[in-house]
């Protein structure tokens, strides 16, 4: 079999797990973890994130899906300059998923229903409990995030092993039928399929996420096309600390969690605190009190000798959203005008016509060219005016064709012609 074309969007500085990702601009992150670790609390806080956009129809799609505006200074800069009546930020879709427990892969708890929810998301926020509170029951009695990591990891691997076996059985049956073989005849599967299967099985048997495996491009395509696995998805570990530990960036589990993550293929770890975020959010209508609260937290760290920018107390939620967006290998481009400033999401590596297609399918079909300014050039040259005139003068307003690879933060105007194009 000849090697398949490299998937659009694949590039060297993409997150490793993005190799297996879908190349789409409507990707979802799911909140995964044991019961009572703070997933729904985090979800609720994320749904309440606001943007400077009065008319943006911020919504919780249903009780378990939120579209969170992705904080972006470049977008905000254009909004402040154009001051248009309509303002639409990029959004990250986040799903709240019910807690997983030991035995879920065998159907315990919400079992398979919940695992199918995880299968439908593109990336995972793995929420870990590192806060102590006797009033909040831990499903396994004590707080031990390493044990919890092991529980979740092994349930996900077990589920993938089941899926893998089902895929093998289906493939065997289809080859048997295709070749007209009898029930007892030995079936030889295509070599690449069999090799990929063996590699994936070895990883899962040793309780290792498939995203950590070493695969050739052909094998990656097989995993993507033929196996639908959970452990190929990118994971961001978010560690729920008490307010005190969060403010001091200290908790006896953080180092151990970091070591575990490193030993299991690596990944991003973001310490946060529901307790801190809820208290901060509760003061949102009282900016003075909110500031006093933050100052008090910063002073608490300073009192034990912890000073510097990393100990200045602030909400971590914007970082969680931004990191999720990035892990899904998404970037945005911007359109700006008198009527609207909008951030559009595309996958990294998207070509100009594909980006145009995100705005409207006609734009992709009838694509002629894209007029593009990079955000940095715009900021340096616009001279306080909400227009591209100065950039044109400076030769920084570029015309790009069909093969142009979109860059994060491009400010774009698409030229298209649909008269000759087929109607949908
Ligand atoms: N003390 C303390 N309590 C917390 C913290 N985070 C969450 N809780 C409490 O823990 C309980 C469970 O939190 P949820 O956010 O509903 O937990 P969950 O992970 O969604 O749980 P399931 O949906 O059952 O899987 C709630 O009573 C929260 O208020 C925290 O940081 N500190
Ligand atoms: Mg919940």
């Amino acid at each position: 079999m000849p090697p398949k074309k490299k998937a659009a969007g694949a590039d060297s500085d993409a997150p490793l797990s993005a190799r297996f990702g879908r190349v789409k601009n409507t990707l979802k992150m799911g909140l995964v973890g044991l019961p009572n670790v703070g997933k729904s609390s985090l979800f609720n806080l994320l749904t309440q994130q606001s943007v400077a956009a009065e008319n943006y129809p911020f919504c919780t799609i249903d009780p378990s899906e939120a579209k969170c505006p992705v904080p972006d200074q470049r977008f905000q800069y254009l909004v402040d300059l154009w001051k248009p009546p309509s303002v639409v930020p990029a959004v990250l879709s986040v799903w709240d998923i019910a807690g997983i427990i030991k035995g879920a892969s065998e159907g315990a708890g919400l079992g398979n229903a919940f695992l199918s929810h995880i299968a439908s998301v593109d990336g995972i926020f793995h929420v870990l409990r590192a806060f102590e509170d006797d009033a909040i029951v831990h499903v396994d009695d004590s707080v031990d995030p390493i044990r919890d990591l092991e529980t979740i990891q092994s349930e996900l691997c077990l589920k993938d092993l089941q899926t893998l076996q089902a895929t093998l059985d289906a493939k065997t049956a289809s080859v048997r039928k295709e070749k007209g073989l009898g029930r007892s005849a030995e079936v030889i599967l295509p070599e690449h399929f069999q090799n990929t299967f063996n590699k994936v099985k070895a990883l899962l048997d040793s309780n290792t996420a498939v995203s950590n495996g070493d695969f050739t491009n052909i094998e990656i395509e097989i995993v993507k096309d033929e196996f639908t696995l959970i452990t190929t998805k990118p994971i961001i570990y978010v560690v729920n600390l008490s307010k005190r530990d969060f403010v001091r960036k200290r908790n006896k589990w953080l180092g151990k969690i970091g070591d575990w993550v490193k030993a299991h293929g690596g990944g991003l770890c973001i310490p946060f605190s529901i307790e801190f975020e809820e208290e901060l959010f509760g003061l949102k209508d009282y900016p003075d009190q909110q500031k006093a609260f933050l100052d008090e937290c910063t002073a608490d760290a300073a009192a034990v000798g912890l000073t510097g920018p990393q100990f200045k107390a602030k909400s971590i939620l914007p970082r969680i959203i931004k990191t999720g967006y990035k892990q899904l290998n998404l970037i945005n481009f911007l359109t700006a005008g008198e009527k609207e400033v909008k951030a559009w999401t595309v996958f990294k590596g998207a070509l100009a016509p594909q980006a145009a297609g995100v705005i409207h399918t006609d734009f992709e079909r009838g694509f002629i060219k894209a007029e593009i300014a990079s955000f940095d050039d715009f900021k340096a040259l616009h001279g306080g005016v909400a227009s591209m005139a100065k950039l044109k003068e400076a030769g920084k307003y570029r015309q790009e064709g069909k093969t142009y690879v979109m860059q994060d933060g491009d400010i774009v105007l698409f030229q298209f012609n649909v008269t000759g194009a087929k109607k949908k």
Side-chain angles (χ1 to χ4, degrees):
M1 187 162 90
K4 278 200 183 176
K5 260 203 340 258
K6 203 174 164 195
D11 71 56
S12 55
D13 64 340
L16 193 61
S17 48
R19 296 178 297 172
F20 298 105
R22 291 188 293 161
V23 180
K24 274 178 61 177
N25 60 330
T26 51
L27 300 179
K28 306 182 277 194
M29 289 295 285
L31 294 164
V32 173
L34 289 174
N36 269 1
V37 295
K39 298 181 297 300
S40 298
S41 308
L42 174 58
F43 177 82
N44 290 336
L45 284 162
L46 289 175
T47 64
Q48 289 153 343
Q49 287 299 287
S50 61
V51 280
E54 286 82 35
N55 64 346
Y56 172 64
F58 176 71
C59 46
T60 302
I61 296 300
D62 71 26
S64 51
E65 184 186 7
K67 295 221 179 260
C68 309
V70 181
D72 182 351
Q73 286 175 353
R74 297 168 308 199
F75 170 75
Q76 197 53 50
Y77 188 91
L78 299 187
V79 169
D80 292 344
L81 188 65
W82 257 277
K83 298 191 178 60
S86 171
V87 168
V88 186
V91 292
L92 176 69
S93 176
V94 179
W95 283 72
D96 188 17
I97 299 175
I100 187 171
I101 56 170
K102 198 176 279 165
S105 55
E106 302 295 335
L110 288 174
N112 281 325
F114 131 89
L115 282 159
S116 73
H117 289 144
I118 302 187
S120 75
V121 299
D122 300 284
I124 292 171
F125 285 123
H126 185 155
V127 185
L128 282 164
R129 172 172 172 175
F131 67 89
E132 298 277 352
D133 185 343
D134 292 343
I136 309 295
V137 176
H138 190 293
V139 68
D140 291 318
D141 293 331
S142 59
V143 173
D144 182 346
I146 301 300
R147 176 202 56 208
D148 297 354
L149 278 164
E150 295 284 351
T151 301
I152 302 272
Q153 168 99 341
S154 70
E155 290 304 324
L156 299 185
C157 287
L158 283 169
K159 180 66 192 172
D160 273 355
L161 275 170
Q162 290 170 10
T163 311
L164 192 68
Q165 188 58 47
T167 310
L168 181 77
D169 293 347
K171 186 80 177 178
T172 307
S174 96
V175 171
R176 190 189 299 279
K177 194 166 163 207
E178 203 178 290
K179 299 201 169 153
L181 298 171
R183 286 190 69 80
S184 55
E186 191 194 355
V187 174
I188 297 179
L189 297 173
E191 191 186 337
H192 283 306
F193 181 94
Q194 186 66 56
N195 289 346
T196 311
F197 174 90
N198 294 347
K199 258 189 197 180
V200 169
K201 184 156 186 327
L203 285 162
L204 292 171
D205 279 339
S206 66
N207 223 1
T208 306
V210 174
S211 60
N212 299 327
D214 191 10
F215 294 98
T216 64
N217 282 349
I218 294 173
E219 290 165 348
I220 288 173
E221 293 302 326
I222 291 173
V223 173
K224 276 165 67 166
D225 292 348
E226 309 210 33
F227 309 162
T228 31
L229 303 174
I230 294 175
T231 65
T232 51
K233 299 178 196 295
I235 301 182
I236 298 168
Y237 299 89
V238 286
V239 188
N240 188 3
L241 306 174
S242 67
K243 179 173 98 178
R244 186 170 182 270
D245 287 357
F246 172 72
V247 162
R248 299 179 182 200
K249 308 281 178 286
R250 275 187 187 166
N251 175 279
K252 66 174 176 181
W253 294 106
L254 281 179
K256 291 177 192 158
I257 294 170
D259 291 344
W260 188 96
V261 169
K262 215 186 246 167
H264 290 78
L268 291 163
C269 261
I270 307 180
F272 81 115
S273 168
I274 291 290
E275 193 187 347
F276 170 88
E277 299 288 349
E278 283 183 346
E279 206 168 327
L280 182 66
F281 182 74
L283 300 171
K284 73 175 188 327
D285 297 329
Y286 311 97
D288 291 347
Q289 290 184 37
Q290 211 173 33
K291 182 173 179 308
F293 169 72
L294 291 174
D295 289 347
E296 198 182 297
C297 291
T298 307
D300 177 46
V304 288
L306 305 170
T307 53
Q310 73 272 38
F311 294 107
K312 193 165 171 4
K314 63 167 196 254
S315 171
I316 213 82
L317 300 179
R319 186 168 154 225
I320 292 181
I321 297 174
K322 270 199 263 190
T323 311
Y325 194 74
K326 216 163 171 187
Q327 277 294 301
L328 292 179
N329 220 19
L330 299 174
I331 58 170
N332 64 30
F333 68 90
L334 305 154
T335 51
E338 276 168 29
K339 291 192 189 134
E340 184 172 80
V341 168
K342 183 161 178 172
W344 304 83
T345 299
V346 285
F347 54 89
K348 203 167 176 186
L351 301 177
Q354 293 172 309
V358 172
I359 300 180
H360 199 290
T361 46
D362 281 352
F363 281 29
E364 181 166 5
R365 255 196 347 254
F367 179 89
I368 298 172
K369 64 182 176 189
E371 295 177 355
I372 296 186
S374 76
F375 178 80
D376 290 341
D377 285 344
F378 179 79
K379 193 174 173 190
L381 296 169
H382 71 85
V385 187
S387 124
M388 291 295 168
K390 289 241 161 39
L391 281 96
K392 281 183 190 158
E393 281 169 26
K396 294 287 184 184
Y397 195 53
R398 308 181 319 258
Q399 311 236 330
E400 301 284 3
K402 289 184 175 172
T403 56
Y404 176 72
V405 178
M406 298 301 292
Q407 301 297 311
D408 196 24
D410 277 347
I411 307 172
V412 187
L413 181 70
F414 291 109
Q415 300 287 354
F416 67 100
N417 170 15
V418 283
T419 47
K422 239 189 0 212
K423 282 250 159 64
K424 245 213 296 197

